[in-house]
Amino acid sequence: MNIKNILGGALCLALFASCGDELDYREFSNYNKDYVFKNFDNTVGFVTNIYSYLDYDYGMIDGGMQASACDEAEYAWKSSQVNYFTNGSLSSKNTPSLFGYYAPIREANYFLAHYPECDFSDYKFNKDYKNQMVRFNRLPYEVRFLRAYYYALLVKYYGAVPFTTEVLTEAQANALGRTPAQDVMTFVVKECDEILNHLPASYAGLTDDAAAGETGRVTKLAVLALKARTLLYAASPLFGAETAERYHQAALAAKAVIDSCAAYGVSLGKYAELWGTDNWKAKEVIMARRIGDLNDLERRNYPMGVENGNSGNCPTQTLVDAYEMRATGKLWNEAGSGYDPEKPYEGRDPRFAMTIAVNGEKNWPSYNAAALETYYGGSNGEPKVGATPTGYYLKKLLDGTVNISSVNGNSKRHSWVAYRLGEFYLNYAEAMFKYSRSADAVTPDLPMSAREAVNVIRSRADVNMPALPTGLSADDFWKKYQNERMVELAFEGHRYNDIRRWREGASHKDIVEMKITKKADGTLAYTRHTVSRIWDDKLYFWPISNSEMMKHTGSGFTQNPGY
């Protein structure tokens, strides 16, 4: 799919219906405008299809997560496209493309252009007519959110992008130039402000709405979350000059998320609840993208040596080093940390064991009774083809109860968390620090300091890490903040983009692997191995593929610099 998907014309729809407590998928068929906009179910199905493009990263780049395109992870299979981002091969000829997001944008524009023509008068004597009309009258606001959401995604990866809110002909679409990123983000924020009060905080308590009880649809909290994240990106140096007022607005928007979550019963729960079959029910989840029952994520990332396990996105020692010692709150190489090089994984931040599988670990996955052997020559280690190059395997996001063996195989529900409260405490901390230039400062409209916001995250029930102290210098706090963000949001699709929006690509390009060997006496030796990766400032944005470049006649449609 490409930008021509914003064209008008016949509709090819993957129709979805609202059913039970979630969005229910149906087969796709061709329908004309009259069919879609004269039937409640088909109209709702058209909108729900726009939801079906919501992003998630279970291996979006040829099996590789974005984590493997930065210092969080290393993809075990060198042939994957994700390695283009670290080995210098990324180009307009060798690049994944996200221009498929113009398909839902085109459908959103089409819906918003035609929904006023909807005529449901034939149904006015149905007993559910009133409730269906309440739902119908809310759909345009859901669609406006989704359109803004997809534009925000495109800007995040490409910077300036083609932009329209109209249904265009093919010639008009191909003549579009690229609208500056700040202008697109301004549009996103404006849309959020305009639709906010037209959407419920939850569908659970609705009584006069055909969507009562549904989950997965856009809420008031999701709108606030999109606005807050967009403003933080807009304030970042990747998208122009940093200003105090941009960070001020980003901090206020993050505060609005935090305050609204408190008002509507969304609160921090246990870290371990953020993935697994029922993660969409976790206390802090604002919006989750339902994916369905699957085991592909586990097949791609369970350890090599476990039946049908294929290794995949392997956490780096760089990430491991970010997990502080629980007793002291210090990094492994800080004086007085309590780190024991003979027992390198003991006494760490509890989030470490929830995220990363290490040598000697048992019951990963849960049905695997054998201890993992990630040392050289071990059953899960090199030189076995595809074994972890870093010494570690991924646990976070994976469901350890998913069995991929040939005899007892199963699949479990997976849901990608698009927005959760924990992110917005961190977003607030960053924006507040950048605005005030202090870890401890507060203002009348921002009464929580950056340090206090970080400490809320560190004090969650199953983490309980030592609080950051008062009086940290600006440099020390920024390092602590970046480290906390890397740990808390690991493998959730943030680190890759954070490094880029901070314009710190060169500082974080290399990774460290842990090479483990077994000595003659049976003890283990741990050796750090630094891998130098290639960085070029062009990598701050993705290249537009040659196939897309060739389609566009507009003089303003230019390639990103360096490609």
Side-chain angles (χ1 to χ4, degrees):
M1 290 180 288
N2 50 56
I3 197 173
K4 71 180 182 182
N5 287 307
I6 62 180
L7 310 178
L11 304 179
C12 180
L13 310 178
L15 285 188
F16 293 72
S18 171
C19 179
D21 68 346
E22 61 182 282
L23 307 185
D24 183 33
Y25 299 169
R26 286 187 182 175
E27 297 178 356
F28 73 87
S29 301
N30 289 317
Y31 291 99
N32 60 34
K33 182 177 68 176
D34 288 342
Y35 186 91
V36 170
F37 291 113
K38 289 189 176 181
N39 176 281
F40 281 128
D41 286 343
N42 293 343
T43 303
V44 173
F46 182 77
V47 171
T48 308
N49 184 56
I50 302 174
Y51 277 90
S52 72
Y53 295 86
L54 289 172
D55 72 315
Y56 65 98
D57 186 9
Y58 285 168
M60 66 177 289
I61 309 172
D62 194 20
M65 299 176 181
Q66 291 179 76
S68 292
C70 67
D71 58 357
E72 278 185 314
E74 182 176 359
Y75 200 65
W77 300 96
K78 301 305 181 186
S79 60
S80 171
Q81 287 184 351
V82 75
N83 294 307
Y84 295 168
F85 290 82
T86 59
N87 65 14
S89 298
L90 190 69
S91 70
S92 58
K93 294 181 179 179
N94 294 319
T95 183
S97 177
L98 297 179
F99 271 58
Y101 285 125
Y102 281 103
I105 289 172
R106 178 248 173 237
E107 292 182 9
N109 287 342
Y110 190 92
F111 177 87
L112 293 169
H114 292 290
Y115 85 89
E117 304 166 22
C118 287
D119 179 8
F120 298 133
S121 58
D122 290 345
Y123 298 90
K124 64 183 177 181
F125 297 112
N126 288 11
K127 64 179 181 180
D128 67 341
Y129 177 76
K130 179 180 177 181
N131 287 0
Q132 291 285 13
M133 288 304 296
V134 171
R135 175 169 63 173
F136 169 75
N137 289 329
R138 192 190 61 250
L139 293 180
Y141 304 104
E142 294 181 52
V143 170
R144 288 173 68 181
F145 169 90
L146 292 167
R147 180 176 62 182
Y149 172 94
Y150 296 123
Y151 270 127
L153 278 178
L154 287 163
V155 165
K156 182 163 65 173
Y157 295 104
Y158 293 105
V161 294
F163 175 83
T164 183
T165 58
E166 306 294 330
V167 180
L168 304 180
T169 66
E170 183 172 359
Q172 289 171 327
N174 287 337
L176 285 175
R178 298 176 65 186
T179 298
Q182 284 288 350
D183 292 350
V184 179
M185 289 189 284
T186 297
F187 165 81
V188 170
V189 171
K190 182 173 181 291
E191 285 288 272
C192 290
D193 286 341
E194 291 181 2
I195 68 177
L196 177 63
N197 293 323
H198 296 278
L199 291 164
S202 170
Y203 290 76
L206 301 181
T207 57
D208 60 347
D209 191 321
E214 284 188 344
T215 59
R217 290 195 177 274
V218 179
T219 65
K220 185 188 300 285
L221 296 177
V223 175
L224 291 169
L226 173 61
K227 175 183 176 179
R229 186 187 289 175
T230 300
L231 283 171
L232 183 64
Y233 272 73
S236 301
L238 183 61
F239 295 101
E242 296 177 278
T243 68
E245 185 54 27
R246 283 183 177 174
Y247 283 116
H248 184 207
Q249 293 304 314
L252 289 172
K255 180 179 182 295
V257 175
I258 294 167
D259 292 346
S260 295
C261 282
Y264 294 113
V266 177
S267 61
L268 290 182
K270 293 183 178 180
Y271 191 68
E273 294 174 345
L274 294 172
W275 59 99
T277 304
D278 293 325
N279 68 323
W280 59 278
K281 298 178 182 178
K283 293 180 180 179
E284 72 175 275
V285 170
I286 295 170
M287 182 175 178
R289 196 264 197 228
R290 305 289 185 82
I291 301 166
D293 289 354
L294 55 83
N295 61 22
D296 290 349
L297 176 65
E298 286 72 25
R299 285 180 178 272
R300 283 198 293 267
N301 292 282
Y302 274 175
M304 187 62 62
V306 171
E307 183 182 359
N308 294 322
N310 202 44
S311 190
N313 299 276
C314 300
T316 60
Q317 182 64 40
T318 308
L319 175 60
V320 171
D321 287 344
Y323 292 89
E324 299 166 343
M325 304 304 294
R326 186 172 192 177
T328 63
K330 294 184 177 183
L331 294 173
W332 70 281
N333 58 352
E334 291 184 278
S337 69
Y339 173 76
D340 182 352
E342 299 299 318
K343 300 176 181 178
Y345 311 127
E346 291 188 6
R348 292 294 188 99
D349 182 325
R351 289 171 291 188
F352 172 71
M354 300 181 215
T355 304
I356 298 169
V358 303
N359 181 72
E361 184 160 346
K362 294 182 178 180
N363 301 117
W364 184 253
S366 61
Y367 58 90
N368 179 36
L372 292 182
E373 298 177 349
T374 65
Y375 55 83
Y376 191 88
S379 60
N380 312 103
E382 296 177 315
K384 187 185 295 289
V385 176
T388 172
T390 66
Y392 306 102
Y393 286 104
L394 178 63
K395 289 175 69 177
K396 186 175 176 180
L397 304 185
L398 279 62
D399 186 335
T401 67
V402 169
N403 191 322
I404 61 172
S405 64
S406 56
V407 177
N408 297 310
N410 61 24
S411 297
K412 296 286 183 73
R413 173 183 288 186
H414 290 66
S415 301
W416 175 262
V417 177
Y419 301 113
R420 64 178 179 92
L421 177 57
E423 174 196 343
F424 294 94
Y425 276 105
L426 292 170
N427 291 0
Y428 176 92
E430 180 175 338
M432 181 59 176
F433 170 71
K434 292 285 190 176
Y435 169 55
S436 67
R437 301 309 303 168
S438 166
D440 299 314
V442 296
T443 64
D445 57 352
L446 297 169
M448 179 169 54
S449 72
R451 178 187 56 81
E452 289 170 330
V454 172
N455 284 339
V456 171
I457 294 295
R458 293 170 68 85
S459 64
R460 66 161 69 235
D462 56 346
V463 175
N464 197 26
M465 288 293 291
L468 299 186
T470 59
L472 290 172
S473 69
D475 285 346
D476 286 344
F477 175 78
W478 182 241
K479 291 175 183 176
K480 286 286 188 182
Y481 168 78
Q482 287 186 306
N483 196 80
E484 185 68 24
R485 190 173 179 95
M486 186 179 192
V487 166
E488 173 71 15
L489 301 178
F491 294 94
E492 295 182 38
H494 291 279
R495 177 70 176 176
Y496 170 85
N497 293 292
D498 288 342
I499 289 171
R500 281 150 179 77
R501 66 183 179 82
W502 294 329
R503 293 193 66 88
E504 294 185 6
S507 301
H508 300 286
K509 71 180 183 70
D510 297 338
I511 61 170
V512 178
E513 303 170 333
M514 179 59 77
K515 299 300 183 183
I516 309 173
T517 55
K518 180 174 278 191
K519 294 184 283 188
D521 62 2
T523 60
L524 299 174
Y526 298 88
T527 304
R528 292 167 178 271
H529 173 67
T530 299
V531 177
S532 180
R533 288 175 163 182
I534 293 175
W535 175 261
D536 188 298
D537 282 355
K538 70 180 182 181
L539 294 171
Y540 283 122
F541 292 115
W542 285 24
I544 300 172
S545 68
N546 277 350
S547 61
E548 290 296 336
M549 292 300 302
M550 292 169 60
K551 294 170 186 172
H552 298 284
T553 58
S555 59
F557 193 85
T558 56
Q559 181 60 269
N560 274 328
Y563 298 105

